[in-house]
Amino acid sequence: MVGRVAVVGAGSSGLACIKICVEEGLEPVCFESSDDIGGLWNFNESPEPGRSSIYHSLVVNTSKEMMCFSDFPMPADYPNYMHNSQLLQYFRLYADHFDLLRYIHFQTTVRSITQRPDMCVSGQWEVVTINREGEKEKHIFDAVLVCSGHYTHPALPLSDFKGHEIFSGRCFHSWKYKDAEACRGKRVVVVGIGNSGGDIAVEISRSAEKTFLSTRKGAWVMGRMSSNGLPLDMTAITRINNILTQLLPKTLLNWAAERALNHKYDHRLYGLKPKHRLLDRRPLINDDLPGRILHGALVMKPNLAGFTESGVVFEDGTVEDNIDAVVFCTGYSGSFPFLPSALSDGPNGELTLYKRVFPPSLQQPTLAVMGLFQAKGPIMTIVEMQARWAVKVFSGLNRLPSKEKMLEVIEFERRRNMQSYPHPRQAALQIDYIPYLDFMAGEIGVRPNLPSLLLSDPVLWAKVVFGPCTPYQYRLSGPGQWAGARHAILTQWERVAQPFRTRVVPEPDSRLSTLCSPWLLTFGGTVIVAVLLSKYEIIPTLQGAAQILERSKIFLKNSWFTSLST
Ligand SMILES: Cc1cc2nc3c(=O)[nH]c(=O)nc-3n(C[C@H](O)[C@H](O)[C@H](O)COP(=O)(O)OP(=O)(O)OC[C@H]3O[C@@H](n4cnc5c(N)ncnc54)[C@H](O)[C@@H]3O)c2cc1C
Ligand SMILES: *[C@@H]1O[C@H](CO)[C@@H](O)[C@H](O)[C@H]1NC(C)=O
């Protein structure tokens, strides 16, 4: 019988885990090393090493209706893509609403998590924490949810580049980047075209003398805006699209999607085009990058090859001199120093995880890792589902396959993903948004039952199948059902529209607009003229109309000939 659950970290994942534990009748105890909630989204000017770090201007790349928790829609007036500070505000609302703060021990760091000697029967863990006074404490827990984040340890591959020791400019990782102030009027190289690399290069290019964006692979770049200015993820992540991508040949889909994207800006012309196909990997989400290239403020360059004393050399042999700074947006390596090292048994020392959640080697499935994956959609909604699944497994309501079977599945999925992500470590991290959510939802019995929905509630069915796969879909039925889920789905587009209603443009009255349609005007006008003419007996109606028509024809013909002959 599972009772007490340790939650490591009070970022967005930790908060979701606390809430789910309480909902399922478990007793969560959360340890958070900082003094506040929000993790990555709690902006800090100078974060301590080992913590995630964001820049001032960071705006989310997933939209509010897609990234909110499944039973707590964001306030209707929030912008669809909000600033990082507003997302933190949302997490505060969530924590207040579900009264989560009382489960959190702030300024308490988890030092180690180890199996108890009787683990194989009890499933219990010993957790050692250290508090702000430096006091160590030992706790016993029935289960552990690891929510410590994985954008914490910057990967800075300086030694890969010849001559970095002699370079006189500044080199730093995006982890350290807060704003472009230090780059004003300078010549700057940004290395790496991930989401951070794109954002940072664009921002620097607004005040620097010149900004170079160096990329080994290139990227497909998509804006947050889809057609009609609607959020990209709401138009892309739908069940119907998911079905179509499984049915139609991938090459065809890639061809069509790349064509549409290149129609806006030709990726080859702009020096962006990658080797991989559009749908094979996550695109770069950036609204401004192509515009900066068009203005010449941002210059695309191939991979960095090395440094000179005052500049850099690229792989195509070109040299840029007088470089003041190089910003490495080269990503992070996840690190879980408090976990038993035996769990980090992947080919590159990474955690091996069944369905990105459970270490298959444990005697009892009482430890789960949250948020350690990459998806083409929002992270929070997936983590919430991971937590719902994990607590079901903890309490024995859902069972995992045998260790052998789990290892088989892990290997199969890694191989499959390696078709698009050749690096095994990257390949293991990838998940497909809807299929992954649906898998976990199936395990816990909350996957929307489409056939029965079609019969019982066809309007809702249409929204679920053809509309965005918003998280409320997983609260319609089954354990953890939320009475507001149906309404949330029916009103989701209203919440999308709400923040735009700051200058209300009256909608054309539909009756009036049919009346005003040009055809009706012409028709109506002719009738009125005919009536007037006949009423005042200027000419008998029908005959007169025919005569007018005939005369105007002749007039038109004549004027046409005159215009030709002059
Ligand atoms: C630049 C950037 C932009 C992003 N934009 C988006 C986006 O738009 N949409 C999206 O869905 N995702 C985005 N992500 C992904 C993002 O990581 C997740 O959305 C989410 O913040 C992950 O939350 P988390 O709680 O798992 O980790 P974190 O937010 O990193 O929180 C981890 C918490 O655990 C605490 N902690 C760590 N170790 C310990 C310990 N040993 N003991 C006690 N406490 C500990 C930390 O102090 C921290 O509070 C972005 C990531 C980055 C880097
Ligand atoms: C948003 O940005 C983060 C940070 O770079 C990235 O990990 C995530 O995959 C991005 N999300 C999408 C949907 O592209």
Side-chain angles (χ1 to χ4, degrees):
M1 199 46 223
V2 167
R4 269 161 54 86
V5 180
V7 177
V8 187
S12 56
S13 303
L15 291 174
C17 284
I18 301 172
K19 192 259 180 191
I20 300 295
C21 282
V22 176
E23 185 174 285
E24 295 291 320
L26 306 177
E27 191 191 321
V29 178
C30 175
F31 302 109
E32 166 55 54
S33 53
S34 77
D35 58 3
D36 201 356
I37 60 166
L40 180 112
W41 301 101
N42 198 318
F43 177 83
N44 191 330
E45 195 65 54
S46 44
E48 299 147 30
R51 188 152 306 154
S52 45
S53 165
I54 52 173
Y55 33 98
H56 271 287
S57 60
L58 175 66
V59 166
V60 298
N61 56 16
T62 49
S63 76
K64 68 168 180 179
E65 286 300 307
M66 299 297 289
M67 76 191 299
C68 65
F69 293 118
S70 58
D71 52 0
F72 197 67
M74 294 210 187
D77 63 338
Y78 271 35
N80 287 283
Y81 288 96
M82 71 205 74
H83 185 248
N84 63 76
S85 57
Q86 200 158 14
L87 183 57
L88 178 64
Q89 216 50 53
Y90 169 74
F91 293 139
R92 292 202 194 289
L93 293 176
Y94 185 71
D96 277 351
H97 183 82
F98 294 104
D99 196 13
L100 307 177
L101 293 185
R102 63 203 190 94
Y103 302 99
I104 307 173
H105 299 261
F106 288 108
Q107 293 186 300
T108 308
T109 301
V110 170
R111 273 298 157 81
S112 70
I113 298 179
T114 45
Q115 284 109 316
R116 296 258 296 157
D118 64 349
M119 160 81 174
C120 58
V121 280
S122 71
Q124 286 182 329
W125 296 86
E126 182 176 289
V127 175
V128 176
T129 59
I130 184 156
N131 67 9
R132 79 199 82 175
E133 278 84 35
E135 292 158 356
K136 263 192 183 176
E137 220 180 318
K138 273 186 194 169
H139 318 254
I140 309 292
F141 284 101
D142 298 308
V144 176
L145 288 162
V146 177
C147 306
S148 54
H150 63 117
Y151 294 105
T152 45
H153 295 75
L156 187 61
L158 260 189
S159 51
D160 291 2
F161 303 108
K162 276 199 307 276
H164 71 273
E165 334 71 48
I166 58 163
F167 178 60
S168 59
R170 209 180 142 214
C171 284
F172 62 100
H173 190 271
S174 59
W175 186 89
K176 280 234 167 90
Y177 178 87
K178 293 290 151 179
D179 60 40
E181 210 35 62
C183 297
R184 184 174 293 277
K186 303 272 166 69
R187 287 166 55 83
V188 184
V189 176
V190 176
V191 180
I193 196 169
N195 280 284
S196 303
D199 280 353
I200 290 172
V202 163
E203 187 167 69
I204 289 178
S205 78
R206 294 192 196 283
S207 57
E209 187 196 305
K210 202 78 164 176
T211 308
F212 304 92
L213 177 52
S214 157
T215 167
R216 188 171 37 189
K217 299 198 204 81
W220 293 104
V221 182
M222 295 179 104
R224 289 173 174 79
M225 255 188 228
S226 181
S227 46
N228 296 312
L230 299 175
L232 172 70
D233 52 2
M234 288 186 77
T235 53
I237 305 178
T238 64
R239 288 186 181 275
I240 187 71
N241 277 359
N242 187 47
I243 295 169
L244 289 178
T245 43
Q246 280 163 16
L247 291 181
L248 296 173
K250 219 170 177 190
T251 342
L252 179 73
L253 290 169
N254 270 317
W255 175 81
E258 286 168 11
R259 214 180 113 93
L261 191 53
N262 280 331
H263 195 70
K264 289 190 191 156
Y265 33 85
D266 184 338
H267 280 62
R268 186 187 303 280
L269 180 67
Y270 276 56
L272 289 166
K273 191 171 188 286
K275 275 214 184 78
H276 66 261
R277 307 298 308 266
L278 175 55
L279 301 175
D280 287 347
R281 296 205 191 176
R282 272 173 305 134
L284 171 70
I285 307 227
N286 196 303
D287 303 287
D288 305 324
L289 188 69
R292 302 309 294 157
I293 298 174
L294 188 63
H295 299 181
L298 187 65
V299 177
M300 293 303 299
K301 291 302 257 178
N303 198 20
L304 194 66
F307 291 87
T308 65
E309 235 167 78
S310 57
V312 296
V313 186
F314 297 101
E315 270 182 355
D316 61 354
T318 54
V319 178
E320 284 299 335
D321 216 10
N322 300 322
I323 295 296
D324 301 288
V326 180
V327 192
F328 284 90
C329 303
T330 36
Y332 293 89
S333 57
S335 167
F336 301 88
F338 48 83
L339 286 181
S341 54
L343 297 185
S344 301
D345 53 358
N348 298 287
E350 75 274 15
L351 291 173
T352 304
L353 296 170
Y354 172 63
K355 293 288 174 187
R356 302 307 312 149
V357 176
F358 292 101
S361 58
L362 295 177
Q363 293 153 314
Q364 296 270 352
T366 52
L367 181 137
V369 179
M370 302 286 108
L372 187 54
F373 59 83
Q374 285 175 343
K376 286 183 185 170
I379 304 297
M380 295 83 185
T381 46
I382 295 183
V383 169
E384 189 193 9
M385 189 69 81
Q386 288 184 325
R388 291 173 81 182
W389 180 35
V391 296
K392 286 274 188 276
V393 172
F394 290 167
S395 34
L397 295 171
N398 188 257
R399 290 202 184 283
L400 297 182
S402 67
K403 181 181 169 185
E404 289 67 38
K405 179 78 195 157
M406 287 196 275
L407 289 173
E408 222 172 83
V409 172
I410 293 170
E411 200 39 41
F412 170 79
E413 290 180 343
R414 192 205 313 272
R415 288 225 171 143
R416 187 198 52 197
N417 294 345
M418 277 180 76
Q419 289 163 6
S420 356
Y421 291 82
H423 196 287
R425 195 162 162 268
Q426 283 294 319
L429 286 175
Q430 309 307 317
I431 53 116
D432 285 334
Y433 193 76
I434 293 182
Y436 184 59
L437 277 173
D438 273 355
F439 163 77
M440 291 187 287
E443 293 297 302
I444 54 188
V446 298
R447 187 175 169 163
N449 183 338
L450 296 179
S452 87
L453 200 59
L454 174 60
L455 296 178
S456 63
D457 195 343
V459 172
L460 185 64
W461 175 85
K463 301 249 175 210
V464 168
V465 174
F466 297 102
C469 184
T470 43
Y472 325 119
Q473 294 192 4
Y474 298 104
R475 291 277 179 187
L476 286 169
S477 59
Q481 182 179 359
W482 172 48
R486 180 177 189 275
H487 185 249
I489 295 174
L490 296 181
T491 53
Q492 58 202 10
W493 286 107
E494 275 172 40
R495 284 187 301 281
V496 170
Q498 185 60 31
F500 294 107
R501 298 200 177 114
T502 48
R503 174 178 169 263
V504 181
V505 181
E507 278 184 36
D509 179 19
S510 56
R511 265 176 312 153
L512 206 73
S513 69
T514 18
L515 273 181
C516 291
S517 88
W519 288 114
L520 273 183
L521 272 184
T522 324
F523 180 70
T526 317
V527 171
I528 290 169
V529 169
V531 168
L532 284 178
L533 290 180
S534 61
K535 179 152 187 197
Y536 296 104
E537 292 175 22
I538 301 169
I539 32 169
T541 322
L542 286 175
Q543 187 198 350
Q547 272 175 8
I548 292 172
L549 216 67
E550 203 46 44
R551 272 188 212 142
S552 57
K553 252 193 203 161
I554 293 165
F555 172 76
L556 279 176
K557 242 185 219 161
N558 285 346
S559 57
W560 189 61
F561 279 122
T562 8
S563 72
L564 267 188
S565 56
T566 50

